Amino acid sequence: MKTNRLWLWYSLLTIVFWSVWALLSKVASDAIGSATLQVLFTLGSTLVMVWLLLKLRFRVPHNRRGVTYGLLNGVFAGLGGIAFFEALRRGGPASLVVPLTSLYPLITVVLAIVVLRERLNGRQRAGVVVAMVALFLLTT
Amino acid sequence: MMETWVFFSLLVVILWGVVGLFQKLSTNYVSAEAAFVWLSVGYFLLLPAMFYYAGLKLPLETIPGWLRVAAGTANGLGALALFAAMRSGGKASIVVPLTALYPLVTVLLAPVLFNEALTLRGVAGAVLSVVAIILLSE
């Protein structure tokens, strides 16, 4: 185990935080569920942002590309949220919209391979496929 | 003729899929903390559009304030950890599918917390999630 596994622990930490998020949102309301999550994100992430701004003493690294991609993250995530609402508003049943939209990692994988030239070995490729099947089962 | 909700669902898949790419790209240039701050700024830029779109009829008032803040904070910390994963060398093509498996915990805890029945489908999904995590964690 010579390789740096820090990324893995951070990824698992993400799973922990996001499950807390999902559970709290579920407590909040079963009826509105995931549709509201996007808005919750904006409001709730304010605290985290303020904490980080204080930590950075308001000197946020502003490499031009870093800023551009960072802003695009927020805008695209938000637009995705609006599209999510819209799918539900136009009669899409949550029982179909949720599993369908949870397949978004597939697009990331394709883009990462094409644009970022990331390479996956056989085991990792199998992992992606199993993850997608698992997600489908978990969300339906 | 495709139903419009299908179109919007696919749009979600594309937009959120692209986000995964931008997350990795942003952490190629700035720290996880900075990436999160800029993500939030991008999100705030979009707020007027969101409120206009939603006509302020989002059912937020039905949710207790502290839950809203707690849920949002948990979400934000999750995103921050994801940026940290990418910043410390995690590939977008692995970190994004891996972190998307978070419903695993919800499905397993729902019977305990909400007295919901654990379905066979849920158990299968949870087992496959663990398999996927092991395969992706190489």
Side-chain angles (χ1 to χ4, degrees), chain A residues 41-42 55 86 119 121, chain B residues 33 43 53 75 91 138:
Chain A
F41 172 77
T42 319
K55 193 164 170 269
E86 200 58 35
R119 290 286 170 266
N121 63 30
Chain B
E33 284 126 340
Y43 220 98
Y53 160 79
N75 181 305
K91 290 177 179 174
E138 189 175 71

Side-chain angles (χ1 to χ4, degrees), chain A residues 89-105:
Chain A
R89 215 171 62 106
R90 292 181 183 246
S95 58
L96 292 178
V97 174
V98 174
L100 188 57
T101 53
S102 68
L103 296 178
Y104 70 90

Side-chain angles (χ1 to χ4, degrees), chain A residues 17-95:
Chain A
F17 279 128
W18 281 356
S19 32
V20 172
W21 161 54
L23 286 169
L24 287 175
S25 308
K26 199 171 161 56
V27 175
S29 168
D30 258 330
I32 45 179
S34 35
T36 316
L37 303 186
Q38 282 304 308
V39 178
L40 291 175
F41 172 77
T42 319
L43 302 171
S45 71
T46 312
L47 274 187
V48 181
M49 188 181 79
V50 170
W51 167 58
L52 290 176
L53 282 174
L54 291 173
K55 193 164 170 269
L56 295 167
R57 294 165 197 271
F58 293 91
R59 283 194 294 269
V60 186
H62 50 269
N63 168 288
R64 196 166 52 85
R65 288 187 182 183
V67 174
T68 308
Y69 291 125
L71 290 176
L72 284 172
N73 267 336
V75 173
F76 274 57
L79 287 176
I82 292 178
F84 189 98
F85 277 116
E86 200 58 35
L88 292 174
R89 215 171 62 106
R90 292 181 183 246
S95 58

